[in-house]
């Protein structure tokens, strides 16, 4: 136990905590290194570990080792979970994050994200075993997800391994050195992962227990009944296995031994491990190889110890402990290595004795070790570093590595180099290595000698290769012949063919190629030298490939050789089915028909039956296809195919025969399918019946003869019953819904229990009771009582006996067991006697049953009033009244109402008299009785009477009216009013009006104001409902209900009366009446009347109805603002409908106001006009003139508005100029002598292509230039037009070349037209013309220039930047002979102006005169000199 005490500083804060062990007395002082107040202290983990919190830190400690830690920690509400399974580190889990804190360290060891906080799924190793060269070793293995393990080096903070497994991991653990990871998955497979080599090995396929032996890398695991031990984990395939009969529960190590504890039944058995082998591993890890050798010396040679000797030998060599390595190789039986190391050790020992120090550092020792590892280059380098050239050469000579030896001699310029070469050659000859000698001679340039040696060595191919590379040797005919002979003799035909082909002997080459089966070379040669042989060679090539079982490759060669049959056979042999089908489809029917079935069999085996069927059909083997479908159980397809190629009766015979065979073989299901396929289910039913397979028989009957299913079940039930198979019979009876037959079957067999069971399960609620009753009746007496008590049906059986008139049995049962049931049986017996007409006996039984009233009712029912009165007075005085009532009913049936009334009143039942009078329709008598005896019901009776009167129609209405008059005469005005209000007569509205008005009159005169108000509010809507609006209004006015009166007049469309009432009685409602009047006119569509009331509403209604002409006509009579609102709406509508021309005409007629909200309309009209086709003609003048005039009117209005000089104003001024150019061009096109003016205007318009469709503008400019002979310009413009059409198709202008328009005012950045504005035919004409001109190369692709050195139509001179004014007539820049107008910025070229005036004078063109008139308006008048010849 631990005790906590606190020490406080002067400010009373908790700064230190003393933790005292009460059992040992040891104390631990806990305080924050940072001076924080300790807030909470806990002792956890079997009272060994301490956890405390401050505001910003977490304190942890191991109380056994007195190691304390304080780490920065932000509080998380106490949600942390602590795990103390590892003695060196505390694991803290919080919000999906694992933090590790090493005891004694004030920094967190590491932190990772994981959702798996199970100690079996996290492994931490902190310096648990010291390793050579590694001071700190801290590693963590954990789960990233259920199938992924991550391994982290906690010192460096980086990931050193990730393992992705195919199954869920449920356990993992690192070894103590952190180099190996064990993990097990859900399938209980054990895996070992080597972290250094990143290799994963499954070492057990089933593992129920696994653990590392503490202090070593020995592994213990259990595989079912086997204990598996790996003494050397580096060799996981070396495992020591021993049988055990229980389950491993743990490991115990101590006292120089290691034991595996196994539970065998109720006892625990210890299996001792080989401590020597365990110690060996520990010694290896500690680097104590001498100790490891000593351990191994004591062991016998087994596979495990052999693996350990190998491991030790490797480690000893790495550590240069050569004596131990020598001992290891001796133990392993590696004599050569042991001897070599012995000699090396002698050298090292001698050097150590002579010179002191480590002999292993001597160069000869290091070189020999390199030789031992077969690293001869390293050994050579070591020798040469010591200038021991001779030793290096000796090493290579000893190993017979002459090439390396000579290379060393050459590198060092050794004088014995030539001797070495001679010795090497001589050694080769002595050892009969002619091939290597030949290669040596070849490398020295002696070709003839090399060839001779190659031939001697039986290597003519090498000789041929050498000859083929040297022209001088090819010229030696005898040598070549000698080589070819040797090649042919050695059957190296292909190389011989190469040689023959090289010396230009194609015939011999072809023969050799063929003999050597080098058909590729043979075919290539034949194509050049012997073309006719190619087909034969292709066939031979195919035959060869077939012999080589390369059937795939042979197919194409047979096809090339036109050997179709062989190609088909090869394709079939190669199982290239699709290729076989392709080849077969190309053959004639007779050839292909015998192969199709073979391919079909393949597809049938793959269950691709449709393809197989098609192939069988092509091969005229339809019967095989049918058999295929039959064997596959696909009867429907088989039948469908059979019906196509066989007569129906033959198909039936075939299938029935096949089915009978199947039946004989006991394959009833297959036989059934065949019978059903040919629509013979009855044969299948008969088959199943014959073999007593009744379930299948019933299934088929239900499917094919559902109407006979019940009969079949019944028939089978009877047969099985006759055979004594009652259980089976029961099933069929029940399926036939004949449970009674089942019960009878069991009853007749004396099986009452079974009969009862069936009745209870299938016979409804009472059937089992009936069976139990019959069972009990068959037993009788006490036995019957015991049975019924057992079944809990005694009372039910008595009831059943009574129900079945077995009263004697019922009295017997009740007497023996249920005496309290006896009166009930007497009662039921009495009722039975009553039904039988035995009234006196029945009377006696009723009285025995204590039910005298029933006897009275019996006599009443039979109208034996005297007997009824007698019994009632004697036994049931309370029933006397009922007897009197019964007599009264009899009197009523005889229409003797007086007598009936007297009897009922004697019985003190006036209510019944009242009801009888009501039922007889004698309401006056009913009201009399009610008034005299039950006055409290009088009012309700009166209402009921009124309802009845209403239901009776006219007669009822008359009754209501009469009743109302009576109430009125009696001074009951409220009831009279209610009666009048209830009058409803659809055939006489005048009567209803009269009654309702009477009700209103009475209510006003005689009833309280509140009541009269209710009556008027009820009568008013009813009068309105029958069209009496004025009458309703007058009633409302009588009670000053002005609004209701107005609403009545409005509903009756009596507007003048409504207005007069509102005006005279309550002026507040005048607007209300006007508003409803407007709505009425709107709804009625009486727009003309609405105009006088609300002109805006009328105009809006015209718009809704699409009566635009009336709308505009009416708006014209209003103010300018209203007019242009509806003009804009109409224009927008027209534009949407594609009527921009009509919209323009609208503004021509009504002017164009400078309203900013109209600007988009004007722009859209402009855009549609300049984009529309057919406007490049004289006929289009009026359209352009209208556009020009509207824009002029707009610009004039803009000057006077707040939009003056705005960007919009400038844009509309530009549009006006463009429209003027278009109008002037159309005017000029009507006069031949102004053709050049029209062309110049088209060219001038190009500077405005940011507002015009660029393709249309360039097309028109190009065509105009072409028409007047300006071919250079025409070519450039039309070429640009074609580029634009391509750009429109591509959707981008990025590819346009602007080089032709540099230094011009034609813009580069223009909008991409959304569509082609020029038809395809005209585009093709332009394309042909441009192509023709460019082919002629007679034009210079340059725009014409003027005296400025600039493009003649450009307003801006590129060299000076000076901008010239455009001519009003042509749009060209005015460079001289300028005529200025009054408006600034407006001018014309004198020559063009005079030319235009002359054309007007000679042609008297009205359109040209209109242009002149517009210029006068636009420019403030014409120049004073109208014409000049200068």
């Amino acid at each position: 136990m631990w005790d906590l005490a606190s020490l406080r500083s002067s400010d009373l804060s908790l700064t230190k905590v003393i933790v005292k062990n009460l059992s040992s007395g040891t104390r631990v002082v806990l305080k924050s290194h940072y001076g924080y107040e300790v807030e909470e202290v806990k002792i956890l983990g079997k009272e060994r570990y301490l956890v405390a919190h401050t505001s910003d830190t977490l304190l942890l400690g191991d109380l056994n080792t007195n190691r304390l830690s304080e780490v920065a920690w932000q509080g998380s509400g106490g949600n942390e979970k602590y795990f103390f399974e590892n003695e060196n580190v505390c694991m803290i889990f919080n919000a999906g994050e694992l933090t590790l804190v090493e005891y004694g360290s004030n920094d967190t060891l590491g932190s990772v994200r994981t959702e798996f906080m199970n100690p079996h799924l996290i492994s931490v190793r902190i310096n648990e075993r010291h390793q050579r060269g590694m001071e700190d070793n801290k590693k963590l293995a954990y789960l990233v997800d259920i199938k992924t393990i991550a391994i982290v080096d906690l010192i460096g903070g980086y990931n050193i391994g990730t393992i992705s497994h195919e199954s869920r991991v449920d356990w993992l653990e690192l070894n103590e050195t952190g180099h190996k990871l064990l993990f097990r998955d859900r399938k209980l497979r054990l895996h070992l992962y080597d972290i250094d080599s990143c290799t994963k090995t499954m070492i057990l396929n089933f593992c129920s227990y696994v653990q590392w032996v503490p202090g070593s890398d020995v592994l213990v695991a259990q595989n079912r009944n086997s204990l598996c031990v790996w003494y050397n984990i580096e060799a996981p395939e070396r495992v020591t296995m021993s049988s055990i009969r229980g389950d491993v529960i743990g490991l115990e190590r101590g006292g120089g031994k290691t034991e595996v504890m196994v539970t065998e039944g109720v006892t625990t058995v210890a299996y001792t491990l080989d401590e020597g082998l365990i110690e060996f591993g520990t010694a290896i890890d500690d680097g104590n190889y001498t100790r490891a050798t000593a351990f191994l010396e004591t062991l016998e040679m087994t596979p495990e110890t052999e693996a350990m000797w190998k491991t030790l030998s490797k480690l000893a060599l790495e550590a240069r402990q050569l004596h131990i390595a020598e001992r290891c190789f001796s133990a392993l039986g590696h004599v050569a290595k042991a001897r070599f190391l012995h000699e090396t050790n002698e050298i090292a020992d001698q050097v150590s004795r002579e010179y002191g120090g480590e002999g292993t550092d001597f160069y000869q020792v290091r070189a020999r070790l390199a030789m031992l590892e077969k690293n001869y280059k390293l050994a050579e380098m070591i020798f040469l570093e010591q200038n021991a050239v001779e030793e290096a050469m000796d090493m290579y000579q000893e190993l017979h590595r002459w090439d390396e030896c000579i290379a060393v001699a050459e590198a060092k310029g050794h004088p014995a180099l030539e001797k070495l070469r001679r010795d090497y050659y001589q050694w080769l000859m002595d050892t009969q290595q002619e091939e290597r000698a030949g290669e040596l001679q070849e490398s020295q340039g002696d070709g003839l000698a090399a060839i001779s040696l190659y031939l001697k060595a039986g290597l003519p191919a090498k000789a041929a290769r050498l000859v083929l590379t040297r022209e001088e040797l090819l010229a030696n005919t005898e040598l070549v012949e000698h080589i070819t002979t040797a090649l042919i003799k050695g059957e190296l035909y292909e190389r011989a063919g190469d040689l023959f082909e090289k010396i230009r002997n194609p015939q011999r080459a072809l023969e050799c190629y063929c003999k050597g089966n080098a058909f590729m070379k043979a075919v290539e040669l034949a194509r050049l030298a012997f073309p006719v042989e190619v087909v034969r060679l292709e066939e031979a090539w195919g035959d060869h490939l077939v012999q080589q079982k390369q059937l795939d490759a042979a197919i194409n060669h047979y096809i090339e050789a036109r050997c179709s049959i062989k190609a088909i056979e090869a394709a079939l042999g190669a199982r290239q089915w699709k290729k076989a089908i392709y080849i077969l489809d190309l053959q004639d029917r007779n050839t292909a028909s015998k192969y199709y079935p073979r391919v079909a069999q393949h597809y049938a085996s793959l269950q691709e039956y449709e393809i197989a069927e098609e192939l069988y059909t092509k091969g005229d083997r339809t019967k095989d296809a049918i058999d295929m479908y039959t064997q596959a159980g696909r009867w429907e397809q088989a039948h469908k195919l059979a019906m196509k190629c066989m007569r129906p009766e033959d198909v039936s015979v075939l299938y029935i025969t096949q089915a009978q065979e199947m039946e004989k073989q006991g394959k009833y299901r297959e036989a059934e399918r065949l019978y059903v396929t040919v629509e013979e289910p009855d044969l299948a039913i008969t088959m199943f019946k014959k073999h007593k397979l009744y379930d299948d028989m019933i299934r088929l009957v239900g499917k094919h003869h559902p109407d006979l299913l019940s009969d079949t079940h019944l028939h089978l039930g009877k047969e099985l019953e006759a055979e004594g198979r009652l259980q089976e019979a029961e099933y069929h009876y029940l399926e036939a819904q004949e449970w009674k037959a089942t019960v009878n079957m069991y009853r007749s067999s004396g099986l009452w229990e079974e009969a009862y069971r069936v009745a209870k399960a299938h016979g409804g609620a009472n059937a089992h009771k009936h069976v139990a009753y019959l069972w009990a009746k068959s037993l009788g007496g006490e036995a019957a009582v015991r049975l019924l008590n057992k079944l809990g049906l005694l009372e039910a059986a008595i009831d059943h006996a009574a129900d079945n008139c077995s009263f004697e049995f019922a009295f017997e049962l009740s007497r023996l067991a249920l005496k309290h049931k006896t009166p009930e049986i007497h009662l039921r017996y009495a009722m039975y006697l009553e039904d039988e007409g035995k009234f006196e006996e029945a009377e006696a039984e009723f009285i025995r049953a204590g039910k005298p009233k029933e006897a009275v009712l019996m006599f009443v029912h039979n109208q034996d009033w005297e007997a009824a009165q007698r019994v009632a007075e004697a036994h049931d005085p309370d029933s006397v009244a009922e007897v009197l009532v019964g007599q009264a009913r009899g009197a009523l049936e005889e229409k003797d109402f007086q007598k009936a009334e007297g009897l009922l009143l004697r019985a003190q039942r006036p209510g019944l008299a009242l009801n009888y009078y009501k039922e007889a329709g004698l309401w006056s008598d009913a009201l009399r009785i009610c008034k005299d005896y039950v006055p409290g019901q009088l009012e309700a009776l009166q209402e009921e009477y009124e309802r009845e009167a209403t239901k009776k129609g006219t007669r009822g209405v008359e009754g209501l009216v009469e009743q109302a008059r009576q109430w009125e005469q009696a001074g009951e005005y409220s009831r009279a009013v209610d009666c009048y209000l209830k009058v409803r007569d659809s055939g006489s509205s005048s009567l209803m009006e009269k009654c309702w008005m009477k009700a209103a009159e009475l209510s006003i005169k005689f009833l309280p104001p509140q009541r009269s108000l209710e009556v008027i509010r009820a009568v008013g809507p009813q009068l309105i409902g029958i069209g009496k609006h004025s009458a309703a209004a007058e009633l409302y006015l009588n009670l000053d209900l002005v609004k209701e009166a107005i609403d009545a007049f409005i509903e009756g469309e009596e507007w003048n009366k409504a207005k007069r009432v509102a005006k005279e009685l309550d002026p507040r409602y005048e607007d209300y009446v006007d508003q409803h009047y407007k709505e009425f006119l709107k709804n009625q569509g009486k727009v003309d009347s609405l105009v006088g009331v609300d002109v805006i509403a009328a105009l809006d209604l015209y718009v809704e109805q699409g009566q635009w002409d009336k709308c505009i006509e009416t708006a014209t009579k209003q103010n300018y603002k209203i007019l242009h609102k509806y003009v804009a709406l109409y224009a927008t509508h027209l534009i949407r409908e594609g009527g921009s021309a009509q919209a323009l005409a609208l503004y021509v007629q009504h002017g164009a106001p400078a309203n900013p909200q109209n600007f988009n309309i004007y722009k859209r009209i402009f855009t549609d006009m300049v984009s529309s086709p057919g406007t490049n003609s004289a006929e289009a003048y009026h359209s352009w003139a209208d556009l020009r005039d509207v824009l002029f009117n707009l610009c004039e209005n803009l000057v006077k508005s707040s939009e003056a000089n705005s960007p919009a104003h400038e844009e509309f001024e530009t549009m006006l100029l463009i429209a003027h150019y278009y109008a002037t061009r159309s005017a000029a096109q009507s006069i031949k002598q102004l053709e050049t003016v029209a062309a110049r205007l088209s060219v001038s318009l190009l500077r405005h292509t940011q507002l015009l469709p660029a393709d249309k503008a360039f097309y028109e400019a190009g065509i105009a230039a072409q028409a007047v002979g300006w071919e250079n310009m025409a070519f450039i413009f039309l070429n640009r037009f074609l580029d634009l059409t391509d750009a429109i198709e591509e959707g981008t202008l990025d590819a346009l070349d602007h080089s032709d328009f540099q230094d011009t005012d034609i813009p580069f950045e223009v909008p991409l037209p959304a569509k082609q504005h020029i038809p395809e035919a005209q585009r093709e004409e332009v394309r042909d013309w441009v192509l023709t001109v460019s082919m002629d190369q007679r034009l210079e692709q340059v725009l014409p220039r003027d005296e400025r050195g600039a493009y003649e139509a450009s307003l801006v001179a590129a060299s000076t930047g000076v901008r010239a004014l455009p001519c009003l007539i042509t749009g060209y820049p005015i460079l001289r002979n300028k005529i200025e107008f009054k408006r600034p910025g407006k001018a014309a070229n004198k020559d063009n102006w005079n030319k235009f005036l002359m054309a007007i004078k000679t042609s008297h063109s009205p359109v040209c005169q209109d242009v002149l008139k517009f210029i006068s308006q636009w420019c403030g008048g014409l120049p004073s000199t109208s014409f000049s010849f200068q």
Side-chain angles (χ1 to χ4, degrees), residues 441-448 465-475:
Q441 293 293 347
E442 183 180 348
S443 65
Q444 294 176 1
D446 191 348
L448 283 172
R465 176 188 56 75
L466 181 57
V467 168
L468 288 168
T469 58
R470 299 194 182 181
E471 291 294 334
E472 70 274 10
L473 295 176
L474 280 170

Side-chain angles (χ1 to χ4, degrees), residues 103 108 280 423 439 489 500 508 622 755 781 794 815 959 1050 1385:
Y103 299 119
T108 57
F280 169 78
D423 290 348
E439 290 173 354
K489 186 177 180 182
F500 279 128
R508 293 289 303 279
T622 310
L794 178 58
R815 178 177 52 78
I1050 287 173

Side-chain angles (χ1 to χ4, degrees), residues 236-484:
E237 72 281 356
R238 305 286 190 181
V239 55
T240 302
M241 302 182 71
S242 54
S243 296
I244 58 176
R245 289 182 290 177
D247 295 325
V248 178
I249 58 171
L251 279 173
E252 292 182 3
R253 190 172 193 199
K257 64 179 181 179
T258 303
E259 293 179 329
V260 181
M261 310 309 294
V262 180
T263 59
E264 295 184 356
V266 294
T267 61
T268 300
V269 180
Y271 288 80
T272 304
L273 301 184
D274 191 323
E275 192 64 25
L277 295 180
I278 297 174
E279 284 296 330
F280 169 78
T282 308
I284 289 293
D285 288 333
D286 296 343
N288 191 342
Y289 300 143
T290 304
R291 180 173 152 212
T293 306
F295 278 126
L296 291 179
E297 293 280 7
T298 63
L299 304 177
E300 294 182 3
M301 184 59 72
T302 64
E304 291 80 6
T305 52
E306 183 181 350
M308 292 175 186
W309 280 114
K310 285 181 180 178
T311 301
L312 183 58
S313 68
K314 179 182 175 184
L315 294 172
L317 280 175
E318 290 175 357
R320 294 197 180 178
Q321 297 188 21
L322 304 182
H323 289 284
I324 292 173
E326 177 187 345
R327 176 67 189 90
C328 291
F329 286 124
S330 298
L332 290 168
H334 294 173
V335 177
K337 284 187 178 181
R339 180 184 174 193
F340 188 79
L341 275 173
H342 180 73
E343 294 171 357
T344 305
N345 282 326
E346 287 181 346
I347 295 169
D349 293 343
Q350 183 179 351
V351 169
S352 181
R353 286 194 301 272
E354 292 180 3
Y355 303 106
E358 287 289 335
T360 55
D361 292 332
F362 188 55
Y363 79 92
Q364 287 184 355
V365 175
R366 288 188 290 117
R368 288 177 70 84
L369 290 176
M371 291 163 63
L372 187 64
E373 294 175 359
K374 294 185 172 53
N375 192 345
Y376 302 116
K377 282 295 178 186
L378 176 61
E380 176 192 328
M381 183 181 73
I382 294 168
F383 281 131
L384 294 181
E385 282 175 355
Q386 302 297 325
N387 202 26
V389 178
E390 292 287 349
E391 292 181 55
M393 291 169 59
D394 289 344
M395 172 186 72
Y396 282 130
Q397 287 185 54
E398 187 177 350
L399 295 168
H400 296 297
R401 298 172 76 96
W402 290 92
D403 293 330
E404 288 88 342
C405 179
I406 292 169
V408 170
E410 284 179 345
K412 295 297 182 180
H414 199 278
L417 177 61
E418 289 302 322
K419 181 178 181 301
L420 272 174
R421 285 176 174 161
R422 288 195 299 275
D423 290 348
Y424 180 28
Y425 179 73
Q426 188 58 48
W427 177 75
L428 289 173
M429 296 305 294
D430 292 345
T431 56
Q432 296 184 350
Q433 296 185 52
E434 288 87 356
E435 178 185 3
R436 191 73 191 88
E439 290 173 354
L440 185 63
Q441 293 293 347
E442 183 180 348
S443 65
Q444 294 176 1
D446 191 348
L448 283 172
I451 289 169
S452 175
L453 287 167
Y454 285 146
L455 291 174
K456 184 178 178 183
L459 299 169
K462 278 201 168 187
R465 176 188 56 75
L466 181 57
V467 168
L468 288 168
T469 58
R470 299 194 182 181
E471 291 294 334
E472 70 274 10
L473 295 176
L474 280 170
N476 189 337
T477 309
E478 185 178 350
L479 178 64
V480 171
E481 184 65 31
H482 188 46
I483 293 171
T484 54

Side-chain angles (χ1 to χ4, degrees), residues 622 626 629 635-648 650-652 654-655:
T622 310
I626 295 169
Y629 278 132
W635 314 106
E636 293 78 7
Q637 291 91 330
H639 182 253
K640 183 178 176 182
L641 186 60
M643 291 301 292
K644 286 182 182 177
C645 59
M646 298 171 66
R647 292 185 306 163
D650 294 338
V651 174
S652 295
L654 171 67
Y655 269 65

